[in-house]
Amino acid sequence: KPSNHQRFNEIRESNPFMTASGYPAKQGLYDPRHEHDSCGIGFIVDIKNRKSHKIVEMGLQVLDCLTHRGAAGADPLSGDGAGILIQTPDRFFREECSALGIKLPKAGDYGVGMVFLPRQKKLRETCIGIVEKYIAAEGQKLLGWRKVAVDSSWLSDTVRKLEPDVRQVFVGRGKNCKDQNAFERKLFVIRKQTHLEIRKLPSKNQANFYIPSMSARTICYKGMMLASRVSKYWTDLQDKRVESALALVHQRFSTNTFPSWELAQPFRYLCHNGEINTLRGNINWMAARRFAMKSKLLGDDLDKLWPLIGDGNSDSATFDNALELLVAGGYSLAHAIMLMIPESWSDNPLMNDKRRAFYEYHAALMEPWDGPAAVAFTDGRQIGATLDRNGLRPARYVVTDDDLVVMGSEVGVLDIPEEKIVKKWRLQPG
């Protein structure tokens, strides 16, 4: 009897209408809109922003403790997807790029794009050309490419057939970006335009192309593997020079979905456990707002981002797309999250009047992205987590006396002595 992954590969290879996300197209009684998932999420952060490799290692340990939250088939090497999002490890990239003859400017003045590319040479060169075209078109500098070292022996044979060629592109800040925030917006615009152009190619030419992250602040290592295999596959993560003050991790359990490389999490800003039940309405409302939207910060670049949310994305990826637009448009990360996932405010007599007024005002701007969900999020400068208004997903955290915060969808994701714990509690509804 063929495994799920073997059946998925057969469907993907035989179906010319397979969507870019890895779902089959709508056909017969099947509709990809009905897909849901349930996963494990967590993060660790040094509140004082002290970067170290230890934080990366502890993040990977949190991820390993979430293994039971992920799905695996009869093949012990195959998994639904797992990953880690960290701050850009400047020392590591600076030394690695120097050995390749790439000279990086100061930290914050260059961005790193993690790029999944097709293994077929001609298709790969086409995709690389499109990435470079938009870097130049948006007034930024192409500094160079680095092939990312991986150990494919940790993947099963079925998953290895879907494995992309992974490279990192280094982009220097152009003169049209006055600060790092403007540069982040340009990297966002470059990435979106690249994806949109490649999605216009024939479906077989889209295979394996995806940009998990493109930022001057964060980088994402993820893939279709088990949680315990992430650091073994991505050998960068074993290097002591890879340092961060935060690590956001995710272990995927695609209950009714097809696993794929691009739908592994974290995404660019968040990871998510649960589902958005109002997704179709949320997508329609975002599309309806297109011609009413304006942004002083994005200006004419706003028109380059549409369609903002591609059909076939998961609910988590769609939420991430919308959050990314709000942050690029000038909302702070916490503000945007509260706008999208509001508390239950209308009939809550215990809520502070100013906070109720905040939610009442924003209810006129955007409808809630509602459903049983726990969301952890970061932009590389702040990190946080929230639950939906009903609090239907688990999320617990501890604060230690050496200024660490550990949050997870389980208790005990790290072995922390009781005497070091200053606070221990759970996220509550909203």
Side-chain angles (χ1 to χ4, degrees):
K1 184 179 178 181
S3 70
N4 286 340
H5 283 304
Q6 286 172 325
R7 287 190 298 160
F8 169 61
N9 289 339
E10 289 167 5
I11 293 171
R12 184 170 192 154
E13 289 168 7
S14 64
N15 186 351
F17 304 106
M18 178 71 80
T19 62
S21 68
Y23 296 140
K26 182 178 178 182
Q27 52 192 297
L29 296 176
Y30 174 78
D31 190 332
R33 291 180 301 171
H34 298 150
E35 304 291 9
H36 305 288
D37 55 35
S38 182
C39 321
I41 63 173
F43 70 69
I44 179 168
V45 59
D46 184 310
I47 310 171
K48 298 295 175 64
N49 199 30
R50 295 168 295 196
K51 296 179 174 67
S52 69
H53 186 64
K54 183 181 177 183
I55 292 291
V56 178
E57 290 178 328
M58 293 171 82
L60 291 166
Q61 187 179 340
V62 170
L63 181 59
D64 197 19
C65 287
L66 298 173
T67 297
H68 65 286
R69 282 276 185 178
D75 182 342
L77 290 180
S78 67
D80 278 9
I84 183 169
L85 180 70
I86 59 174
Q87 291 173 319
T88 303
D90 179 65
R91 181 164 72 100
F92 172 73
F93 283 141
R94 195 167 297 282
E95 293 176 10
E96 287 291 304
C97 286
S98 179
L100 296 171
I102 302 170
K103 186 176 180 180
L104 297 181
K106 68 178 182 179
D109 281 352
Y110 70 90
V112 188
M114 180 74 90
V115 187
F116 291 172
L117 292 161
R119 303 194 74 82
Q120 204 273 342
K121 184 178 178 182
K122 188 174 180 181
L123 289 180
R124 182 169 65 244
E125 288 175 349
T126 298
C127 293
I128 287 173
I130 293 172
V131 173
E132 293 180 351
K133 179 179 84 170
Y134 284 110
I135 290 172
E138 294 301 326
Q140 310 309 300
K141 305 170 195 169
L142 174 66
L143 301 175
W145 289 83
R146 170 182 179 254
K147 185 168 175 60
V148 182
V150 298
D151 184 351
S152 300
S153 65
W154 294 100
L155 301 179
S156 68
D157 291 339
T158 50
V159 172
R160 206 174 294 133
K161 290 179 181 178
L162 303 173
E163 182 187 12
D165 184 304
V166 188
R167 311 209 179 179
Q168 288 163 343
V169 60
F170 293 85
V171 184
R173 177 156 70 97
K175 293 180 180 178
N176 60 351
C177 296
K178 64 179 182 179
D179 56 26
Q180 194 182 60
N181 289 333
F183 185 37
E184 283 289 311
R185 286 191 291 274
K186 276 297 179 188
L187 293 173
F188 170 43
V189 172
I190 289 167
R191 198 195 78 238
K192 289 297 291 187
Q193 288 183 100
T194 301
H195 269 291
L196 293 174
E197 179 160 337
I198 289 175
R199 291 294 181 253
K200 292 176 183 176
L201 299 174
S203 60
K204 66 178 181 180
N205 296 343
Q206 302 173 16
N208 287 345
F209 179 83
Y210 186 69
I211 303 178
S213 64
M214 184 177 276
S215 171
R217 294 180 176 131
T218 59
I219 188 160
C220 182
Y221 289 87
K222 69 176 186 178
M224 213 166 95
M225 62 199 72
L226 297 169
S228 60
R229 306 292 193 252
V230 171
S231 64
K232 295 178 173 66
Y233 178 80
W234 300 107
T235 56
D236 282 4
L237 297 174
Q238 301 168 25
D239 196 300
K240 299 293 183 186
R241 297 170 296 168
V242 174
E243 298 171 323
S244 176
L246 57 84
L248 182 68
V249 299
H250 185 273
Q251 166 66 71
R252 189 161 187 251
F253 192 114
S254 50
T255 317
N256 302 308
T257 56
F258 291 97
S260 71
W261 280 80
E262 73 174 70
L263 290 183
Q265 297 182 41
F267 293 109
R268 289 105 189 181
Y269 278 91
L270 62 83
C271 61
H272 170 259
N273 171 28
E275 55 197 74
I276 306 296
N277 292 336
T278 57
L279 185 64
R280 179 50 49 187
N282 295 132
I283 291 173
N284 290 341
W285 273 113
M286 290 299 292
R289 291 189 184 100
R290 175 178 177 178
F291 297 105
M293 277 188 185
K294 286 184 172 56
S295 169
K296 290 181 181 178
L297 293 176
L298 286 166
D300 293 339
D301 284 348
L302 184 60
D303 292 332
K304 302 173 184 177
L305 305 175
W306 298 91
L308 180 74
I309 299 167
D311 283 341
N313 279 341
S314 67
D315 53 356
S316 311
T318 303
F319 186 98
D320 187 74
N321 288 158
L323 176 64
E324 194 172 31
L325 178 67
L326 292 175
V327 172
Y331 285 93
S332 70
L333 184 61
H335 190 159
I337 287 285
M338 291 170 74
L339 169 60
M340 295 179 71
I341 308 180
E343 295 179 66
S344 182
W345 58 270
S346 59
D347 295 313
N348 185 350
L350 302 178
M351 183 176 287
N352 176 284
D353 288 341
K354 288 186 177 180
R355 194 149 94 245
R356 181 185 292 104
F358 171 92
Y359 287 122
E360 185 175 5
Y361 170 78
H362 287 93
L365 300 182
M366 180 175 286
E367 63 296 325
W369 293 62
D370 222 354
V375 178
F377 50 86
T378 184
D379 60 0
R381 296 176 298 176
Q382 290 185 320
I383 194 164
T386 191
L387 296 185
D388 67 276
R389 65 180 70 194
N390 295 310
L392 295 175
R393 292 292 184 203
R396 291 186 168 270
Y397 66 90
V398 296
V399 184
T400 68
D401 60 6
D402 54 352
D403 295 309
L404 295 181
V405 176
V406 183
M407 193 285 296
S409 47
E410 340 286 314
V411 178
V413 288
L414 283 179
D415 187 13
I416 300 173
E418 283 292 327
E419 62 270 16
K420 291 185 68 65
I421 296 175
V422 175
K423 184 177 181 181
K424 182 191 297 184
W425 193 226
R426 61 182 174 85
L427 291 187
Q428 295 175 279

